[in-house]
Amino acid sequence: MTTSPDQQPAQAYAQPPTIIINNTSSAAASATAMVGGMGLRRRRQSLWVHFWLLMFTAGIGNVFYAVHVSRWNRDRGL
C-alpha cells in the first residue's frame, strides 16, 4: 500500500479515548471515617518489615518497630 507523494496517508487507527479520573474522596473525609470507628483496625506486625530490619539493623530496628506498632494500638484502645 503505497501513496503518491502528493497524497496524505490514511490514518490507520482512531484517536485514543480520553480518560477521566474522578477522585472524589479527600484526606479529610477518610480521616473522619476512621475517627468515627468505622474502619479503625488494629495494626499488625509485618513479617517482611521485621525481616528487612533484621537484615539491615542487626535486630535493633525490630525492637523499635515492635514498640511503635504496640504503642499505636494501645493509644487507640485496640
Side-chain angles (χ1 to χ4, degrees):
M1 175 180 233
T2 61
T3 59
S4 64
D6 59 338
Q7 282 184 333
Q8 293 288 334
Q11 190 171 359
Y13 54 88
Q15 184 175 359
T18 304
I19 299 173
I20 300 172
I21 300 173
N22 276 337
N23 290 330
T24 57
S25 64
S26 65
S30 62
T32 56
M34 288 294 195
V35 173
M38 284 185 54
L40 191 60
R41 294 184 357 195
R42 181 176 179 84
R43 232 182 229 188
R44 305 282 183 199
Q45 305 282 339
S46 170
L47 176 67
W48 291 111
V49 172
H50 278 291
F51 171 76
W52 288 113
L53 285 170
L54 180 67
M55 293 292 117
F56 291 118
T57 65
I60 301 300
N62 285 327
V63 175
F64 289 113
Y65 175 67
V67 168
H68 166 72
V69 173
S70 297
R71 184 177 295 145
W72 191 92
N73 287 329
R74 186 183 66 232
D75 290 346
R76 285 154 183 82
L78 299 174

